[in-house]
Amino acid sequence: GYLGKAIILKCVRWTTIIHKQTIHRSSSLNNQSSAQHRPLTATIAYYVAFIALGMTTSISGPALPWLAENTSSPLDKISIIFIAGSLGYMLGSQLGGRAYDILPGHRLQAVSLLLISVATIVVPLVHSLWFLVVVLFILGAFQAVVDVGGNTLLTWIHGDKVGPFMN
């Protein structure tokens, strides 16, 4: 009936969108000549981004007592920052995947790394628990964009031979 037709039309639209994005993705990758001509340099840059991502992700746990003291919050309340970061990461994974299909990948990666740096600098300056929650939500979102982007860009650069370069 009507529901079946609606589902089929939706699938056709999604297939068309995905096809257009695939064409855009391959043309935007071709425009990034530095990555095309120097895949090893780009791969090393992605690995450095992954290291930076790991460093910013892992700091919350050891810093938890200090963050609790800095925001005048008990430990049972400050633990909400982990939920905020995780929710931001989930949202960033969803939006980041779509963003890499639309925007130039290297620029998006660079902007995301810059925003991670800014958020990481802001964290020790925050004295309000709820503002800290917002900052860590944003931090989590851009961490996901870097994570999704690093894997996506590695796949775009190396194509079928990406196996040894992926974790």
Side-chain angles (χ1 to χ4, degrees):
Y2 176 76
L3 182 60
K5 288 179 185 177
I7 292 172
I8 290 171
L9 286 174
K10 190 78 150 170
C11 289
V12 168
R13 267 191 248 138
W14 279 56
T15 304
T16 305
I17 290 169
I18 290 169
H19 177 68
K20 287 178 183 177
Q21 290 174 346
T22 303
I23 291 170
H24 172 74
R25 178 177 61 218
S26 54
S27 66
S28 70
L29 182 60
N30 289 336
N31 291 338
Q32 297 175 356
S33 60
S34 64
Q36 193 175 23
H37 295 296
R38 297 184 215 145
L40 184 60
T41 305
T43 302
I44 291 169
Y46 304 150
Y47 290 165
V48 169
F50 282 129
I51 291 168
L53 173 65
M55 289 170 37
T56 60
T57 303
S58 64
I59 195 67
S60 297
L64 192 64
W66 184 85
L67 290 171
E69 181 182 323
N70 195 39
T71 59
S72 302
S73 303
L75 281 176
D76 64 330
K77 300 281 188 212
I78 193 80
S79 61
I80 195 169
I81 65 169
F82 296 113
I83 295 170
S86 297
L87 289 174
Y89 202 93
M90 287 192 308
L91 181 67
S93 294
Q94 288 291 316
L95 298 178
R98 295 181 191 270
Y100 278 99
D101 280 335
I102 298 168
L103 303 170
H106 292 141
R107 289 188 190 136
L108 183 57
Q109 189 86 337
V111 168
S112 297
L113 286 166
L114 176 67
L115 292 172
I116 287 173
S117 300
V118 169
T120 304
I121 291 168
V122 169
V123 166
L125 304 176
V126 173
H127 297 289
S128 163
L129 174 61
W130 296 111
F131 188 55
L132 182 64
V133 166
V134 170
V135 170
L136 289 174
F137 177 86
I138 293 168
L139 179 63
F142 284 105
Q143 287 172 334
V145 171
V146 168
D147 192 10
V148 167
N151 289 315
T152 301
L153 293 170
L154 277 170
T155 303
W156 288 352
I157 295 251
H158 295 288
D160 292 338
K161 298 177 182 166
V162 73
F165 301 100
M166 295 290 283
N167 52 7

